[in-house]
Amino acid sequence: MPALVLLGAQWGDEGKGKATDLLGGSVDYVVRYQGGNNAGHTVVVGDQKYALHLLPSGILSPGCTPVIGNGVVVDPSVLLSELSGLNERGVDTSKLLISGNAHIITPYNVTVDKVTERFLGKRKIGTTGRGIGPTYADKINRVGIRVQDLYDESILTQKVEAALDVKNQILTKLYNRRAITATQVVEELLGYAEQIEPYVADTVLILNQALDDDKVVLFEGGQGTLLDIDHGTYPFVTSSNPTAGGACTGAGVGPTKISRVIGILKAYTTRVGAGPFPTELFDEDGEALRRIGGERGVTTGRDRRCGWFDAVIARYATRVNGLTDFFLTKLDVLSGWEQIPVCVAYDIDGERVEELPYSQTDFHHAKPVYEYLPGWQEDISEAKTFADLPKNAQAYVKALEDMSGAPISAIGVGPGREETIEINSFL
Ligand code: IMP
């Protein structure tokens, strides 16, 4: 029962699509277990580039069954437009399975996300504005709408009315917006029901049976470890659990079934939205990383904040996820620097700190303590094995591995499918 979890070890956008793509052919199921269309990954297949937001990347591998687990929040209009976009390009999407227990992002959740951010002003989170937080809030408040509710009009109506009762008070009295009528929302949601129905399934049963049958199941995390609602840089986080434990709750499989947990780690660091980021650069080096790395959000189109590699974060990711391996991405972006700073610890109010502080105040005060590693000038995109890398690039990878606490089993040296050095097989 090879069950692998693949997740972001930093703040998301580490290049997970490339890693799932590498495993593509050998995986039977690719499962998303949290988040929604706030995620975004680009998968390159041949000369075709696909930007996916909600669908699991396995949708592009013909032999693979893509699954949207119970822990995901689904915007039906985005789901259907992503599916039809792929169909138009000749991709067969008929194998997709969607948990009946997944929650629906309703139009009022999107409205609440946007008006709340506006209301917060300077204190805003910098959300993707896709209604993710408000939908998870409704789930926890037990006023959420689930995929299965689309198939019982009377229940759906009751639930939408209940959810809007409070929300309309807030929208009209606090935010000075117009009230949203339940009938309109119900009508819109019912309009999606028939098209989605063929995909709806008992995904928990199907996935556990698949594991019993020794199928290879890959759990694909959206966002990243430091955006986790429990283990991230709260409150500047997303509203779900991208960390490894989220795969169990968000897909309905027990922790004893997980055999490998792979952290995707960018050779430098990026972050979108607000919140602390100790190694962030505001100079030409940051600009160069952004330009060479193409650091612009797939979902939002926002420029990503860029900085040097932070080993404190990588160690933390190893610990909270129980990582067995790292997939180091975008090493090629670092070609051309004389020397490359790596953050090995923090200086917090004059004290050297080796581990991520649990205190938000301390983390906001953290200043990077750098070690400077010698750079390399060569283009490394043609490297096929570790030995093909320039000596200084090899030393950089080894140093990161030693500091981060898990073996680096694959290295991305370019965006294409074949531009990956595999050191240890993931299967
Ligand atoms: P939300 O997930 O839209 O609620 O946004 C919460 C925070 O998570 C914001 O800082 C977003 O920029 C960030 N975020 C959400 N999804 C992603 C992602 O896929 N990559 C990177 N950051 C993300």
Side-chain angles (χ1 to χ4, degrees), residues 322-355:
L323 295 183
T324 56
D325 303 83
F326 279 115
F327 188 134
L328 187 71
T329 58
K330 292 195 154 184
L331 186 63
D332 52 302
V333 174
L334 294 182
S335 295
W337 265 275
E338 254 340 286
Q339 54 175 9
I340 307 171
V342 169
C343 170
V344 294
Y346 298 141
D347 177 322
I348 301 179
D349 304 328
E351 199 183 318
R352 185 182 165 107
V353 174
E354 306 278 340
E355 302 297 345

PDB file of all heavy atoms in Angstrom, residues 322-355:
ATOM      1  N   GLY A 322       6.874  15.070   9.424  1.00  0.00           N
ATOM      2  CA  GLY A 322       7.553  13.773   9.425  1.00  0.00           C
ATOM      3  C   GLY A 322       8.099  13.452   8.040  1.00  0.00           C
ATOM      4  O   GLY A 322       7.930  12.339   7.534  1.00  0.00           O
ATOM      5  N   LEU A 323       8.762  14.417   7.433  1.00  0.00           N
ATOM      6  CA  LEU A 323       9.219  14.224   6.040  1.00  0.00           C
ATOM      7  C   LEU A 323      10.214  13.071   5.933  1.00  0.00           C
ATOM      8  O   LEU A 323      11.099  12.919   6.783  1.00  0.00           O
ATOM      9  CB  LEU A 323       9.886  15.497   5.507  1.00  0.00           C
ATOM     10  CG  LEU A 323       9.009  16.744   5.361  1.00  0.00           C
ATOM     11  CD1 LEU A 323       9.835  17.883   4.759  1.00  0.00           C
ATOM     12  CD2 LEU A 323       7.795  16.464   4.482  1.00  0.00           C
ATOM     13  N   THR A 324      10.062  12.289   4.881  1.00  0.00           N
ATOM     14  CA  THR A 324      11.020  11.222   4.604  1.00  0.00           C
ATOM     15  C   THR A 324      11.993  11.640   3.501  1.00  0.00           C
ATOM     16  O   THR A 324      13.071  11.067   3.368  1.00  0.00           O
ATOM     17  CB  THR A 324      10.307   9.940   4.157  1.00  0.00           C
ATOM     18  OG1 THR A 324       9.492  10.257   3.009  1.00  0.00           O
ATOM     19  CG2 THR A 324       9.424   9.376   5.262  1.00  0.00           C
ATOM     20  N   ASP A 325      11.568  12.613   2.663  1.00  0.00           N
ATOM     21  CA  ASP A 325      12.377  13.050   1.518  1.00  0.00           C
ATOM     22  C   ASP A 325      12.076  14.513   1.212  1.00  0.00           C
ATOM     23  O   ASP A 325      10.996  15.000   1.518  1.00  0.00           O
ATOM     24  CB  ASP A 325      11.966  12.307   0.227  1.00  0.00           C
ATOM     25  CG  ASP A 325      12.050  10.811   0.324  1.00  0.00           C
ATOM     26  OD1 ASP A 325      11.078  10.216   0.840  1.00  0.00           O
ATOM     27  OD2 ASP A 325      13.058  10.243  -0.116  1.00  0.00           O
ATOM     28  N   PHE A 326      13.023  15.122   0.521  1.00  0.00           N
ATOM     29  CA  PHE A 326      12.776  16.433  -0.091  1.00  0.00           C
ATOM     30  C   PHE A 326      12.893  16.305  -1.609  1.00  0.00           C
ATOM     31  O   PHE A 326      13.676  15.496  -2.107  1.00  0.00           O
ATOM     32  CB  PHE A 326      13.825  17.462   0.354  1.00  0.00           C
ATOM     33  CG  PHE A 326      13.552  18.066   1.700  1.00  0.00           C
ATOM     34  CD1 PHE A 326      14.418  17.833   2.760  1.00  0.00           C
ATOM     35  CD2 PHE A 326      12.459  18.896   1.904  1.00  0.00           C
ATOM     36  CE1 PHE A 326      14.191  18.415   4.004  1.00  0.00           C
ATOM     37  CE2 PHE A 326      12.224  19.482   3.141  1.00  0.00           C
ATOM     38  CZ  PHE A 326      13.083  19.236   4.185  1.00  0.00           C
ATOM     39  N   PHE A 327      12.117  17.123  -2.297  1.00  0.00           N
ATOM     40  CA  PHE A 327      12.300  17.339  -3.731  1.00  0.00           C
ATOM     41  C   PHE A 327      12.729  18.801  -3.839  1.00  0.00           C
ATOM     42  O   PHE A 327      11.930  19.692  -3.560  1.00  0.00           O
ATOM     43  CB  PHE A 327      10.977  17.093  -4.472  1.00  0.00           C
ATOM     44  CG  PHE A 327      11.060  17.105  -5.973  1.00  0.00           C
ATOM     45  CD1 PHE A 327      10.443  16.109  -6.719  1.00  0.00           C
ATOM     46  CD2 PHE A 327      11.750  18.102  -6.655  1.00  0.00           C
ATOM     47  CE1 PHE A 327      10.514  16.106  -8.117  1.00  0.00           C
ATOM     48  CE2 PHE A 327      11.822  18.115  -8.041  1.00  0.00           C
ATOM     49  CZ  PHE A 327      11.197  17.120  -8.764  1.00  0.00           C
ATOM     50  N   LEU A 328      13.987  19.034  -4.174  1.00  0.00           N
ATOM     51  CA  LEU A 328      14.512  20.402  -4.248  1.00  0.00           C
ATOM     52  C   LEU A 328      14.230  20.955  -5.650  1.00  0.00           C
ATOM     53  O   LEU A 328      14.647  20.361  -6.646  1.00  0.00           O
ATOM     54  CB  LEU A 328      16.018  20.409  -3.971  1.00  0.00           C
ATOM     55  CG  LEU A 328      16.659  21.793  -3.859  1.00  0.00           C
ATOM     56  CD1 LEU A 328      16.234  22.497  -2.578  1.00  0.00           C
ATOM     57  CD2 LEU A 328      18.183  21.680  -3.902  1.00  0.00           C
ATOM     58  N   THR A 329      13.524  22.076  -5.726  1.00  0.00           N
ATOM     59  CA  THR A 329      13.139  22.604  -7.039  1.00  0.00           C
ATOM     60  C   THR A 329      13.881  23.902  -7.354  1.00  0.00           C
ATOM     61  O   THR A 329      14.372  24.581  -6.455  1.00  0.00           O
ATOM     62  CB  THR A 329      11.612  22.862  -7.110  1.00  0.00           C
ATOM     63  OG1 THR A 329      11.262  23.772  -6.067  1.00  0.00           O
ATOM     64  CG2 THR A 329      10.827  21.582  -6.954  1.00  0.00           C
ATOM     65  N   LYS A 330      13.923  24.193  -8.636  1.00  0.00           N
ATOM     66  CA  LYS A 330      14.417  25.485  -9.150  1.00  0.00           C
ATOM     67  C   LYS A 330      15.880  25.785  -8.800  1.00  0.00           C
ATOM     68  O   LYS A 330      16.242  26.951  -8.605  1.00  0.00           O
ATOM     69  CB  LYS A 330      13.509  26.606  -8.666  1.00  0.00           C
ATOM     70  CG  LYS A 330      12.109  26.530  -9.290  1.00  0.00           C
ATOM     71  CD  LYS A 330      11.362  27.827  -9.088  1.00  0.00           C
ATOM     72  CE  LYS A 330      10.330  28.029 -10.171  1.00  0.00           C
ATOM     73  NZ  LYS A 330       9.631  29.304 -10.080  1.00  0.00           N
ATOM     74  N   LEU A 331      16.701  24.745  -8.713  1.00  0.00           N
ATOM     75  CA  LEU A 331      18.126  24.972  -8.431  1.00  0.00           C
ATOM     76  C   LEU A 331      18.763  25.809  -9.555  1.00  0.00           C
ATOM     77  O   LEU A 331      19.664  26.613  -9.315  1.00  0.00           O
ATOM     78  CB  LEU A 331      18.850  23.625  -8.273  1.00  0.00           C
ATOM     79  CG  LEU A 331      20.306  23.708  -7.850  1.00  0.00           C
ATOM     80  CD1 LEU A 331      20.457  24.341  -6.466  1.00  0.00           C
ATOM     81  CD2 LEU A 331      20.975  22.334  -7.865  1.00  0.00           C
ATOM     82  N   ASP A 332      18.255  25.623 -10.784  1.00  0.00           N
ATOM     83  CA  ASP A 332      18.806  26.342 -11.945  1.00  0.00           C
ATOM     84  C   ASP A 332      18.706  27.862 -11.790  1.00  0.00           C
ATOM     85  O   ASP A 332      19.525  28.595 -12.333  1.00  0.00           O
ATOM     86  CB  ASP A 332      18.080  25.912 -13.230  1.00  0.00           C
ATOM     87  CG  ASP A 332      16.568  26.022 -13.097  1.00  0.00           C
ATOM     88  OD1 ASP A 332      16.022  25.368 -12.181  1.00  0.00           O
ATOM     89  OD2 ASP A 332      15.940  26.763 -13.871  1.00  0.00           O
ATOM     90  N   VAL A 333      17.696  28.325 -11.026  1.00  0.00           N
ATOM     91  CA  VAL A 333      17.498  29.772 -10.858  1.00  0.00           C
ATOM     92  C   VAL A 333      18.690  30.398 -10.142  1.00  0.00           C
ATOM     93  O   VAL A 333      18.983  31.579 -10.301  1.00  0.00           O
ATOM     94  CB  VAL A 333      16.168  30.031 -10.088  1.00  0.00           C
ATOM     95  CG1 VAL A 333      15.982  31.506  -9.767  1.00  0.00           C
ATOM     96  CG2 VAL A 333      14.985  29.496 -10.885  1.00  0.00           C
ATOM     97  N   LEU A 334      19.439  29.597  -9.376  1.00  0.00           N
ATOM     98  CA  LEU A 334      20.550  30.131  -8.581  1.00  0.00           C
ATOM     99  C   LEU A 334      21.888  30.172  -9.342  1.00  0.00           C
ATOM    100  O   LEU A 334      22.885  30.632  -8.783  1.00  0.00           O
ATOM    101  CB  LEU A 334      20.710  29.327  -7.288  1.00  0.00           C
ATOM    102  CG  LEU A 334      19.545  29.449  -6.293  1.00  0.00           C
ATOM    103  CD1 LEU A 334      19.840  28.655  -5.031  1.00  0.00           C
ATOM    104  CD2 LEU A 334      19.264  30.899  -5.936  1.00  0.00           C
ATOM    105  N   SER A 335      21.892  29.706 -10.592  1.00  0.00           N
ATOM    106  CA  SER A 335      23.142  29.787 -11.375  1.00  0.00           C
ATOM    107  C   SER A 335      23.498  31.246 -11.613  1.00  0.00           C
ATOM    108  O   SER A 335      22.611  32.034 -11.967  1.00  0.00           O
ATOM    109  CB  SER A 335      22.972  29.112 -12.745  1.00  0.00           C
ATOM    110  OG  SER A 335      22.749  27.744 -12.597  1.00  0.00           O
ATOM    111  N   GLY A 336      24.769  31.594 -11.409  1.00  0.00           N
ATOM    112  CA  GLY A 336      25.203  32.951 -11.781  1.00  0.00           C
ATOM    113  C   GLY A 336      25.537  33.854 -10.609  1.00  0.00           C
ATOM    114  O   GLY A 336      26.027  34.954 -10.812  1.00  0.00           O
ATOM    115  N   TRP A 337      25.304  33.413  -9.386  1.00  0.00           N
ATOM    116  CA  TRP A 337      25.683  34.244  -8.237  1.00  0.00           C
ATOM    117  C   TRP A 337      27.116  33.902  -7.805  1.00  0.00           C
ATOM    118  O   TRP A 337      27.514  32.726  -7.886  1.00  0.00           O
ATOM    119  CB  TRP A 337      24.717  34.011  -7.064  1.00  0.00           C
ATOM    120  CG  TRP A 337      23.598  35.024  -7.003  1.00  0.00           C
ATOM    121  CD1 TRP A 337      23.642  36.253  -6.408  1.00  0.00           C
ATOM    122  CD2 TRP A 337      22.281  34.914  -7.548  1.00  0.00           C
ATOM    123  NE1 TRP A 337      22.431  36.900  -6.552  1.00  0.00           N
ATOM    124  CE2 TRP A 337      21.575  36.111  -7.243  1.00  0.00           C
ATOM    125  CE3 TRP A 337      21.604  33.919  -8.289  1.00  0.00           C
ATOM    126  CZ2 TRP A 337      20.266  36.350  -7.628  1.00  0.00           C
ATOM    127  CZ3 TRP A 337      20.289  34.151  -8.668  1.00  0.00           C
ATOM    128  CH2 TRP A 337      19.633  35.352  -8.347  1.00  0.00           C
ATOM    129  N   GLU A 338      27.865  34.884  -7.357  1.00  0.00           N
ATOM    130  CA  GLU A 338      29.221  34.658  -6.840  1.00  0.00           C
ATOM    131  C   GLU A 338      29.159  33.772  -5.602  1.00  0.00           C
ATOM    132  O   GLU A 338      29.850  32.785  -5.463  1.00  0.00           O
ATOM    133  CB  GLU A 338      29.839  35.997  -6.429  1.00  0.00           C
ATOM    134  CG  GLU A 338      30.919  36.620  -7.295  1.00  0.00           C
ATOM    135  CD  GLU A 338      31.634  35.701  -8.234  1.00  0.00           C
ATOM    136  OE1 GLU A 338      32.458  34.903  -7.752  1.00  0.00           O
ATOM    137  OE2 GLU A 338      31.390  35.771  -9.470  1.00  0.00           O
ATOM    138  N   GLN A 339      28.295  34.196  -4.685  1.00  0.00           N
ATOM    139  CA  GLN A 339      28.067  33.401  -3.464  1.00  0.00           C
ATOM    140  C   GLN A 339      26.580  33.472  -3.127  1.00  0.00           C
ATOM    141  O   GLN A 339      25.889  34.417  -3.518  1.00  0.00           O
ATOM    142  CB  GLN A 339      28.936  33.894  -2.316  1.00  0.00           C
ATOM    143  CG  GLN A 339      28.805  35.368  -2.030  1.00  0.00           C
ATOM    144  CD  GLN A 339      29.614  35.775  -0.801  1.00  0.00           C
ATOM    145  OE1 GLN A 339      30.403  34.992  -0.272  1.00  0.00           O
ATOM    146  NE2 GLN A 339      29.398  36.974  -0.316  1.00  0.00           N
ATOM    147  N   ILE A 340      26.110  32.439  -2.430  1.00  0.00           N
ATOM    148  CA  ILE A 340      24.676  32.358  -2.148  1.00  0.00           C
ATOM    149  C   ILE A 340      24.464  32.312  -0.634  1.00  0.00           C
ATOM    150  O   ILE A 340      24.901  31.362   0.024  1.00  0.00           O
ATOM    151  CB  ILE A 340      24.052  31.105  -2.815  1.00  0.00           C
ATOM    152  CG1 ILE A 340      24.391  31.080  -4.314  1.00  0.00           C
ATOM    153  CG2 ILE A 340      22.536  31.080  -2.604  1.00  0.00           C
ATOM    154  CD1 ILE A 340      24.021  29.800  -5.015  1.00  0.00           C
ATOM    155  N   PRO A 341      23.767  33.310  -0.088  1.00  0.00           N
ATOM    156  CA  PRO A 341      23.499  33.292   1.345  1.00  0.00           C
ATOM    157  C   PRO A 341      22.437  32.242   1.686  1.00  0.00           C
ATOM    158  O   PRO A 341      21.471  32.067   0.946  1.00  0.00           O
ATOM    159  CB  PRO A 341      22.951  34.696   1.639  1.00  0.00           C
ATOM    160  CG  PRO A 341      23.288  35.513   0.425  1.00  0.00           C
ATOM    161  CD  PRO A 341      23.327  34.556  -0.723  1.00  0.00           C
ATOM    162  N   VAL A 342      22.638  31.536   2.784  1.00  0.00           N
ATOM    163  CA  VAL A 342      21.647  30.575   3.280  1.00  0.00           C
ATOM    164  C   VAL A 342      21.401  30.909   4.747  1.00  0.00           C
ATOM    165  O   VAL A 342      22.349  31.026   5.529  1.00  0.00           O
ATOM    166  CB  VAL A 342      22.181  29.129   3.143  1.00  0.00           C
ATOM    167  CG1 VAL A 342      21.290  28.148   3.884  1.00  0.00           C
ATOM    168  CG2 VAL A 342      22.287  28.736   1.683  1.00  0.00           C
ATOM    169  N   CYS A 343      20.137  31.045   5.124  1.00  0.00           N
ATOM    170  CA  CYS A 343      19.812  31.375   6.514  1.00  0.00           C
ATOM    171  C   CYS A 343      19.905  30.102   7.363  1.00  0.00           C
ATOM    172  O   CYS A 343      19.184  29.132   7.111  1.00  0.00           O
ATOM    173  CB  CYS A 343      18.411  31.980   6.577  1.00  0.00           C
ATOM    174  SG  CYS A 343      17.786  32.156   8.239  1.00  0.00           S
ATOM    175  N   VAL A 344      20.809  30.104   8.347  1.00  0.00           N
ATOM    176  CA  VAL A 344      21.038  28.893   9.147  1.00  0.00           C
ATOM    177  C   VAL A 344      20.413  28.992  10.538  1.00  0.00           C
ATOM    178  O   VAL A 344      20.262  28.005  11.245  1.00  0.00           O
ATOM    179  CB  VAL A 344      22.547  28.585   9.293  1.00  0.00           C
ATOM    180  CG1 VAL A 344      23.147  28.227   7.947  1.00  0.00           C
ATOM    181  CG2 VAL A 344      23.297  29.771   9.899  1.00  0.00           C
ATOM    182  N   ALA A 345      20.094  30.228  10.952  1.00  0.00           N
ATOM    183  CA  ALA A 345      19.489  30.450  12.287  1.00  0.00           C
ATOM    184  C   ALA A 345      18.904  31.856  12.261  1.00  0.00           C
ATOM    185  O   ALA A 345      19.056  32.571  11.255  1.00  0.00           O
ATOM    186  CB  ALA A 345      20.564  30.344  13.377  1.00  0.00           C
ATOM    187  N   TYR A 346      18.219  32.225  13.354  1.00  0.00           N
ATOM    188  CA  TYR A 346      17.704  33.599  13.442  1.00  0.00           C
ATOM    189  C   TYR A 346      18.387  34.321  14.585  1.00  0.00           C
ATOM    190  O   TYR A 346      18.785  33.701  15.590  1.00  0.00           O
ATOM    191  CB  TYR A 346      16.194  33.614  13.723  1.00  0.00           C
ATOM    192  CG  TYR A 346      15.343  32.969  12.660  1.00  0.00           C
ATOM    193  CD1 TYR A 346      14.231  32.194  13.028  1.00  0.00           C
ATOM    194  CD2 TYR A 346      15.612  33.147  11.302  1.00  0.00           C
ATOM    195  CE1 TYR A 346      13.424  31.599  12.068  1.00  0.00           C
ATOM    196  CE2 TYR A 346      14.808  32.566  10.336  1.00  0.00           C
ATOM    197  CZ  TYR A 346      13.716  31.785  10.723  1.00  0.00           C
ATOM    198  OH  TYR A 346      12.927  31.207   9.772  1.00  0.00           O
ATOM    199  N   ASP A 347      18.476  35.628  14.399  1.00  0.00           N
ATOM    200  CA  ASP A 347      18.847  36.491  15.518  1.00  0.00           C
ATOM    201  C   ASP A 347      17.535  37.126  15.984  1.00  0.00           C
ATOM    202  O   ASP A 347      16.907  37.876  15.237  1.00  0.00           O
ATOM    203  CB  ASP A 347      19.835  37.553  15.003  1.00  0.00           C
ATOM    204  CG  ASP A 347      20.210  38.547  16.086  1.00  0.00           C
ATOM    205  OD1 ASP A 347      19.333  38.909  16.895  1.00  0.00           O
ATOM    206  OD2 ASP A 347      21.374  38.981  16.112  1.00  0.00           O
ATOM    207  N   ILE A 348      17.124  36.766  17.208  1.00  0.00           N
ATOM    208  CA  ILE A 348      15.885  37.339  17.728  1.00  0.00           C
ATOM    209  C   ILE A 348      16.235  38.194  18.945  1.00  0.00           C
ATOM    210  O   ILE A 348      16.622  37.661  19.989  1.00  0.00           O
ATOM    211  CB  ILE A 348      14.846  36.247  18.071  1.00  0.00           C
ATOM    212  CG1 ILE A 348      14.535  35.419  16.817  1.00  0.00           C
ATOM    213  CG2 ILE A 348      13.578  36.872  18.657  1.00  0.00           C
ATOM    214  CD1 ILE A 348      13.550  34.290  17.013  1.00  0.00           C
ATOM    215  N   ASP A 349      16.153  39.476  18.749  1.00  0.00           N
ATOM    216  CA  ASP A 349      16.479  40.450  19.811  1.00  0.00           C
ATOM    217  C   ASP A 349      17.835  40.128  20.453  1.00  0.00           C
ATOM    218  O   ASP A 349      17.962  40.065  21.677  1.00  0.00           O
ATOM    219  CB  ASP A 349      15.355  40.495  20.859  1.00  0.00           C
ATOM    220  CG  ASP A 349      14.009  40.821  20.225  1.00  0.00           C
ATOM    221  OD1 ASP A 349      14.008  41.573  19.223  1.00  0.00           O
ATOM    222  OD2 ASP A 349      12.973  40.307  20.687  1.00  0.00           O
ATOM    223  N   GLY A 350      18.829  39.839  19.605  1.00  0.00           N
ATOM    224  CA  GLY A 350      20.202  39.631  20.075  1.00  0.00           C
ATOM    225  C   GLY A 350      20.533  38.196  20.455  1.00  0.00           C
ATOM    226  O   GLY A 350      21.667  37.884  20.775  1.00  0.00           O
ATOM    227  N   GLU A 351      19.565  37.299  20.377  1.00  0.00           N
ATOM    228  CA  GLU A 351      19.817  35.904  20.750  1.00  0.00           C
ATOM    229  C   GLU A 351      19.771  35.014  19.510  1.00  0.00           C
ATOM    230  O   GLU A 351      18.891  35.184  18.655  1.00  0.00           O
ATOM    231  CB  GLU A 351      18.717  35.464  21.729  1.00  0.00           C
ATOM    232  CG  GLU A 351      19.097  34.231  22.529  1.00  0.00           C
ATOM    233  CD  GLU A 351      17.922  33.812  23.419  1.00  0.00           C
ATOM    234  OE1 GLU A 351      17.283  34.705  24.010  1.00  0.00           O
ATOM    235  OE2 GLU A 351      17.637  32.614  23.469  1.00  0.00           O
ATOM    236  N   ARG A 352      20.750  34.081  19.413  1.00  0.00           N
ATOM    237  CA  ARG A 352      20.758  33.166  18.258  1.00  0.00           C
ATOM    238  C   ARG A 352      19.766  32.030  18.509  1.00  0.00           C
ATOM    239  O   ARG A 352      19.835  31.347  19.544  1.00  0.00           O
ATOM    240  CB  ARG A 352      22.166  32.597  18.044  1.00  0.00           C
ATOM    241  CG  ARG A 352      22.281  31.727  16.800  1.00  0.00           C
ATOM    242  CD  ARG A 352      23.685  31.154  16.687  1.00  0.00           C
ATOM    243  NE  ARG A 352      23.721  30.063  15.739  1.00  0.00           N
ATOM    244  CZ  ARG A 352      24.269  30.139  14.519  1.00  0.00           C
ATOM    245  NH1 ARG A 352      24.844  31.249  14.126  1.00  0.00           N
ATOM    246  NH2 ARG A 352      24.267  29.087  13.708  1.00  0.00           N
ATOM    247  N   VAL A 353      18.851  31.835  17.550  1.00  0.00           N
ATOM    248  CA  VAL A 353      17.789  30.832  17.712  1.00  0.00           C
ATOM    249  C   VAL A 353      17.861  29.876  16.522  1.00  0.00           C
ATOM    250  O   VAL A 353      17.866  30.312  15.373  1.00  0.00           O
ATOM    251  CB  VAL A 353      16.400  31.522  17.784  1.00  0.00           C
ATOM    252  CG1 VAL A 353      15.282  30.507  17.815  1.00  0.00           C
ATOM    253  CG2 VAL A 353      16.322  32.442  18.981  1.00  0.00           C
ATOM    254  N   GLU A 354      17.929  28.580  16.813  1.00  0.00           N
ATOM    255  CA  GLU A 354      18.138  27.587  15.740  1.00  0.00           C
ATOM    256  C   GLU A 354      16.812  27.017  15.194  1.00  0.00           C
ATOM    257  O   GLU A 354      16.770  26.469  14.118  1.00  0.00           O
ATOM    258  CB  GLU A 354      18.952  26.384  16.263  1.00  0.00           C
ATOM    259  CG  GLU A 354      20.274  26.740  16.919  1.00  0.00           C
ATOM    260  CD  GLU A 354      21.396  26.955  15.923  1.00  0.00           C
ATOM    261  OE1 GLU A 354      21.277  26.481  14.785  1.00  0.00           O
ATOM    262  OE2 GLU A 354      22.384  27.620  16.296  1.00  0.00           O
ATOM    263  N   GLU A 355      15.751  27.116  16.002  1.00  0.00           N
ATOM    264  CA  GLU A 355      14.476  26.505  15.590  1.00  0.00           C
ATOM    265  C   GLU A 355      13.399  27.573  15.449  1.00  0.00           C
ATOM    266  O   GLU A 355      13.480  28.634  16.083  1.00  0.00           O
ATOM    267  CB  GLU A 355      14.024  25.449  16.614  1.00  0.00           C
ATOM    268  CG  GLU A 355      15.022  24.330  16.843  1.00  0.00           C
ATOM    269  CD  GLU A 355      15.309  23.484  15.606  1.00  0.00           C
ATOM    270  OE1 GLU A 355      14.552  23.550  14.623  1.00  0.00           O
ATOM    271  OE2 GLU A 355      16.331  22.759  15.622  1.00  0.00           O
TER     272      GLU A 355
END
